[in-house]
């Protein structure tokens, strides 16, 4: 009797990179490993999409479309190259209009994709209809998804077999075209028995011959058991990764699953252990200089209590390291349970996982529910679709008050279509204003990545890759006695008086803004006294980050609650507002400056 063929998708170069390095791996560094994977006989790859779209523009100064083209050239025309999309969000963190959803499918087809795995974190089938139709329209295979997780203990109302059956029936009844069905657990928290019953239910419900897959992560320590349960229940395909980006927050290792199924009636893609060993050796060599976050290699027993997906976990810890916040990580994870419960049980997968993390961070840093992360707030208010259960009414009230938005029951796609800022015309005009070439690729990059996309297209993108060799050089420079401050704005105290000082490296022009608003160019730094006596008030950054936009100017009158400037921190825009009415005496930072928690950014009189 022939063994059952199980299709293996190698997630190394998409989800593996995202789960371990926050997506920050340069293409020239890993392409030799793609060659090795091809030699090992792998023909199905997850190679792009999801957070590995934005991360190239945000952190790598690389073009995702170029990466996709080069990947396709290496593996040849017959390989099944798969990407990840988020329904009406596609590869964006916000919802897209019909024009942008169509352009996403068109561009990904043009640049080498074969299949798009398409999910909605809320399991709102309405969010899958148009995106699925456009994926199929442009000649791509559409893998439609039901997202999974286990709820934290004591939480009820969704994420049961019955809930998944209801969602699957809605998909089947909707008429959405699809070529395969995937159950996706990004946090790896679904217990194996539920996985077995869910796959068994689906196998009985879907048409005979339908390709059925399971995707999970090792984060909670049950991924191999979950895959074995799924195989027993009749699944046709599973996702695996190669060492060193397997296990931990990523997918189970290919070799691990080959071992786990030894002697059983399954053929995992015809893969041979010796060839996979050679592939993994090449990959380890390619990634040897990359800093491996310790949390990426660990199984965490607390993840079921605070479901944080592997792909988001290391992306967030990378940002926390960048912002000096890693000491807060345990508190943020602990705060996740309440945030998930009161948010309506959307599956902890991007973008909802990021909303959960941002809100948990806010609750830790600023006190419970004193600040609402925009994404989380818009989710509980209904702007991303219908949550599996109704969010907590009090949180809905707070979110509406903080964001100045009413709750809505309109479809997310209809809301996005009515938003002029999400039209192609808006982004074409933006490219024209910036004197950037008008191509469909550039339009989509700008629309998906906003200002960071524009910066990339202007050649100003940020390079932020954690390599061991670079980190050693930085440490050596520090140890050689260099005590110079980095460029930026600093607050210093001289003889009991505060001064706002700008520091820059080299012989550069410096803009000095006086309290009366006058600007002196190419001037020597002249500290301006800032007193905190009387009615003057220091306004401080609540979180570390960078200055995204300065809204108010020195000398300007503001009312209580008016936005003075906006910080960007942990993928959030943080409004710095006037705590009372008054006159802006000084702005102590400049656009793009890095700030630390508690740093004075403005003075109000």
């Amino acid at each position: 009797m022939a063994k059952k063929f199980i299709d293996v998708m190698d997630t190394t170069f998409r989800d593996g990179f995202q789960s371990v390095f926050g997506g920050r791996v340069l293409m020239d560094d890993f392409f030799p490993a793609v060659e090795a994977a091809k030699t090992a006989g792998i023909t199905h790859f997850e190679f792009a999409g999801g957070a590995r779209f934005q991360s190239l523009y945000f952190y790598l100064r690389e073009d995702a479309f170029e990466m996709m083209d080069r990947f396709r050239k290496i593996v040849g025309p017959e390989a099944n190259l798969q990407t990840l999309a988020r329904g009406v969000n596609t590869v964006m963190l916000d919802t897209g209009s019909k024009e942008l959803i169509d352009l996403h499918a068109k561009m990904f087809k043009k640049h080498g994709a074969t299949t798009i795995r398409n999910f909605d974190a809320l399991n709102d089938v309405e969010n899958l209809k148009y995106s699925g139709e456009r994926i199929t329209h442009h000649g791509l295979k559409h893998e439609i998804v039901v997202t999974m997780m286990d709820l934290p203990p004591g939480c009820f109302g969704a994420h049961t077999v019955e809930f998944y059956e209801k969602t699957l029936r809605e998909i089947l009844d909707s008429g959405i075209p699809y070529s395969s069905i995937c159950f996706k657990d990004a946090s790896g928290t679904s217990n194996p028995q539920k996985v077995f019953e869910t796959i068994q239910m689906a196998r009985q419900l879907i048409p005979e011959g339908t390709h059925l897959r399971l995707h999970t992560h090792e984060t909670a320590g049950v991924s191999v058991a979950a895959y074995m349960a799924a195989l027993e229940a009749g699944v046709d395909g599973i996702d695996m990764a190669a060492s060193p980006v397997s296990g931990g927050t990523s997918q189970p290792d290919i070799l691990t699953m080959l071992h786990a199924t030894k002697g059983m009636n399954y053929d995992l893609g015809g893969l041979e252990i010796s060839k996979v060993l050679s592939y993994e050796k090449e990959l380890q060599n390619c990634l040897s200089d990359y800093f491996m976050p310790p949390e990426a290699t660990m199984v965490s027993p607390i993840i079921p209590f605070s479901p944080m997906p592997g792909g988001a976990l290391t992306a967030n810890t990378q940002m926390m390291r960048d912002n000096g916040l890693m000491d807060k990580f345990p508190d943020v994870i602990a705060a996740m349970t309440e945030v998930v419960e009161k948010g309506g049980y959307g599956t902890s997968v991007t973008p909802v996982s990021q909303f959960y993390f941002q809100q948990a961070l806010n609750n830790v840093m600023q006190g419970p529910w004193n600040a609402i992360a925009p994404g989380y707030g818009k989710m509980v208010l209904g702007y991303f679709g219908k949550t599996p259960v109704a969010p907590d009414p009090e949180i809905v009230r707070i979110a509406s008050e903080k964001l100045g938005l009413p709750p809505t029951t309109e479809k997310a796609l209809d809301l996005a279509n009515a938003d002029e800022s999400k039209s192609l015309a808006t982004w074409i005009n933006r490219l024209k204003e910036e004197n950037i070439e008008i191509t469909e690729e550039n339009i989509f990059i700008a629309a998906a990545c906003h200002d960071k996309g524009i910066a990339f297209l202007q050649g100003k993108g940020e390079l932020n890759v954690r390599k061991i060799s670079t980190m050693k050089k930085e440490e050596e420079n520090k140890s050689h006695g260099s005590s110079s401050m980095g460029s930026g704005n600093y607050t210093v105290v001289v003889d009991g008086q505060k001064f706002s000082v700008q520091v820059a490296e080299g012989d550069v022009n410096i803009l000095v803004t006086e309290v009366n608003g006058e600007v002196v160019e190419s001037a020597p730094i002249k500290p301006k006294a800032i007193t905190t006596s009387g009615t003057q008030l220091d306004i401080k950054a609540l979180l570390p980050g960078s200055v995204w936009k300065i809204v108010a100017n020195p000398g300007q009158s503001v009312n209580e609650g008016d936005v003075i400037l906006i910080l960007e921190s942990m993928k959030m825009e943080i409004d710095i507002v006037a705590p009372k009415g008054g006159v802006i005496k000084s702005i102590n930072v400049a656009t793009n400056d890095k700030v630390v928690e508690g740093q004075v950014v403005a003075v109000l009189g």
Side-chain angles (χ1 to χ4, degrees):
M1 179 179 173
K3 292 185 176 182
K4 179 179 178 180
F5 183 86
I6 303 298
D7 181 76
V8 171
M9 181 168 75
D10 184 350
T11 60
T12 298
F13 306 104
R14 210 295 304 172
D15 207 340
F17 285 173
Q18 182 62 32
S19 297
V20 174
F21 301 116
R24 305 184 199 185
V25 183
L26 297 162
M27 68 176 93
D28 285 334
D29 288 344
F30 73 80
F31 277 154
V34 178
E35 291 271 12
K38 177 187 176 183
T39 302
I42 295 172
T43 60
H44 188 182
F45 298 89
E46 187 181 43
F47 82 128
R52 268 287 290 176
F53 183 81
Q54 288 176 321
S55 64
L56 273 70
Y57 302 105
F58 283 16
Y59 306 115
L60 303 182
R61 294 180 186 163
E62 291 187 341
D63 182 3
F65 293 126
E66 178 191 352
M67 185 276 293
M68 293 166 68
D69 291 339
R70 292 178 63 185
F71 199 115
R72 169 59 77 183
K73 187 174 181 180
I74 292 170
V75 298
E78 301 304 317
N80 182 2
L81 295 187
Q82 189 158 318
T83 69
L84 188 67
R86 313 179 190 113
V88 292
N89 294 69
T90 64
V91 292
M92 301 177 282
L93 289 177
D94 198 0
T95 53
S97 64
K98 284 187 173 182
E99 291 178 326
L100 292 177
I101 292 169
D102 177 75
L103 187 58
H104 161 259
K106 183 179 181 181
M107 290 298 95
F108 275 59
K109 171 64 176 178
K110 177 180 176 181
H111 291 282
T114 309
T115 304
I116 293 184
R117 176 178 286 174
N118 188 33
F119 73 91
D120 179 65
L122 303 181
N123 279 314
D124 186 343
V125 176
E126 283 294 330
N127 288 344
L128 298 172
K129 289 180 178 178
Y130 187 75
S131 54
E133 189 274 322
R134 299 321 290 169
I135 289 168
T136 304
H137 171 82
H138 286 288
L140 292 150
K141 293 180 180 180
H142 179 214
E143 184 163 283
I144 199 164
V145 175
V146 178
T147 57
M148 302 178 70
M149 70 176 183
D150 264 18
L151 294 179
C155 298
F156 305 95
H159 292 286
T160 60
V161 177
E162 293 74 23
F163 172 75
Y164 301 137
E165 179 177 352
K166 174 179 175 292
T167 304
L168 182 57
R169 286 186 182 276
E170 288 179 14
I171 288 171
L172 297 175
D173 292 342
S174 70
I176 301 171
Y178 65 88
S179 57
S180 55
I181 296 172
C182 177
F183 285 85
K184 176 180 173 64
D185 185 345
S187 58
T189 55
S190 294
N191 66 82
Q193 181 61 30
K194 185 176 78 171
V195 168
F196 175 81
E197 294 176 7
T198 298
I199 297 299
Q200 192 175 58
M201 170 275 296
R203 180 53 73 201
Q204 294 170 355
L205 193 61
I206 61 180
E208 187 176 352
T210 302
H211 185 81
L212 186 63
R213 304 188 65 86
L214 177 68
H215 169 95
T216 191
H217 289 244
E218 180 59 10
T219 321
V222 296
S223 67
V224 174
Y227 274 161
M228 299 303 288
L231 289 169
E232 185 181 351
V235 84
D236 300 306
I238 55 177
D239 299 349
M240 295 182 282
S243 178
V245 294
S246 57
T249 54
S250 183
Q251 280 70 60
D253 192 86
I254 298 170
L255 293 172
T256 300
M257 285 307 302
L258 287 173
H259 180 69
T261 56
K262 191 182 296 182
M264 302 182 74
N265 196 36
Y266 305 113
D267 173 7
L268 300 191
L271 298 178
E272 299 176 21
I273 290 176
S274 60
K275 292 182 179 179
V276 175
L277 280 167
S278 296
Y279 159 37
E280 292 200 349
K281 183 178 180 180
E282 179 61 35
L283 181 65
Q284 289 165 2
N285 181 60
C286 289
L287 300 177
S288 60
D289 195 28
Y290 280 80
F291 170 71
M292 182 75 69
E295 64 276 4
T297 64
M298 297 187 303
V299 167
S300 173
I302 67 168
I303 286 296
F305 302 89
S306 304
M308 173 51 59
L313 193 150
T314 51
N316 286 320
T317 56
Q318 290 276 51
M319 287 188 289
M320 293 187 85
R321 282 190 178 89
D322 291 343
N323 289 287
L325 283 173
M326 267 305 287
D327 62 310
K328 304 291 185 184
F329 180 67
D331 296 332
V332 174
I333 289 296
M336 283 276 290
T337 298
E338 182 184 22
V339 170
V340 171
E341 181 177 11
K342 293 189 174 182
Y345 298 146
T347 315
S348 191
V349 60
T350 306
V352 169
S353 58
Q354 194 63 26
F355 300 161
Y356 286 156
F357 191 87
Q358 290 168 344
Q359 188 57 51
L361 180 67
N362 274 352
N363 285 359
V364 168
M365 300 297 295
Q366 303 184 56
W369 310 109
N370 286 332
I372 297 293
Y376 185 86
K378 290 176 71 176
M379 178 184 72
V380 300
L381 292 172
Y383 286 86
F384 292 102
K386 185 178 180 181
T387 53
V389 302
D392 183 276
E394 178 62 12
I395 300 305
V396 172
R397 184 194 67 77
I398 294 172
S400 181
E401 180 181 292
K402 297 284 187 183
L403 301 184
L405 291 171
T408 183
T409 57
E410 288 191 58
K411 295 177 182 177
L413 182 58
D414 292 341
L415 290 168
N417 255 352
D419 187 344
E420 184 61 29
S421 70
K422 297 176 181 180
S423 68
L424 291 183
T426 292
W427 292 102
I428 290 170
N429 289 335
R430 177 71 187 277
L431 293 178
K432 289 179 179 177
E433 290 171 2
E434 303 289 349
N435 198 28
I436 296 171
E437 182 183 4
I438 309 297
T439 66
E440 289 182 312
E441 286 84 355
N442 287 354
I443 294 167
F444 191 77
I445 291 166
C449 302
H450 292 201
D451 287 343
K452 289 191 176 182
I454 295 293
F456 166 81
L457 294 171
Q458 293 173 325
K460 302 175 182 177
E462 179 183 5
L463 182 62
N464 190 341
V465 181
R466 285 184 172 268
K467 289 194 174 186
I468 297 168
S469 57
T470 304
M471 295 166 70
K472 285 182 177 177
K473 288 179 181 177
E474 292 173 352
E475 286 300 317
E476 287 173 1
N477 290 338
K478 290 179 182 178
S479 66
H480 288 160
S482 173
S483 59
S484 61
M485 295 187 293
S487 298
N489 289 76
Y490 295 83
T491 300
V492 299
V493 178
V494 180
D495 294 331
Q497 284 189 305
K498 283 187 177 181
F499 296 87
S500 178
V501 182
Q502 186 177 1
V503 177
E505 296 181 7
D507 183 16
V508 297
N509 290 339
I510 294 175
L511 298 179
V512 179
T513 305
E514 304 286 357
V515 169
N516 61 10
E518 295 178 1
V519 177
V520 182
E521 294 192 35
S522 304
I525 299 172
K526 296 193 295 184
K528 183 67 182 181
I530 303 173
T531 63
T532 55
S533 60
T535 59
Q536 292 197 130
L537 179 66
D538 290 345
I539 300 174
K540 301 178 181 180
L542 298 173
L543 292 170
S546 59
V547 180
W548 181 68
K549 187 177 183 180
I550 295 175
V551 178
N553 296 310
Q556 179 179 331
S557 296
V558 293
N559 298 315
E560 180 179 346
D562 284 354
V563 177
I564 295 174
L565 56 89
I566 303 172
L567 299 181
E568 181 187 54
S569 179
M570 303 294 294
K571 292 187 179 179
M572 292 185 289
E573 293 176 12
I574 309 294
D575 290 344
I576 304 297
V577 301
K580 65 176 184 177
V583 176
I584 301 295
K585 292 296 184 182
S586 68
I587 299 292
N588 295 35
V589 291
T591 302
N592 297 324
D593 275 359
K594 301 289 185 183
V595 300
V596 298
E597 179 188 355
Q599 180 177 334
V600 176
V601 295
V603 176
L604 182 68

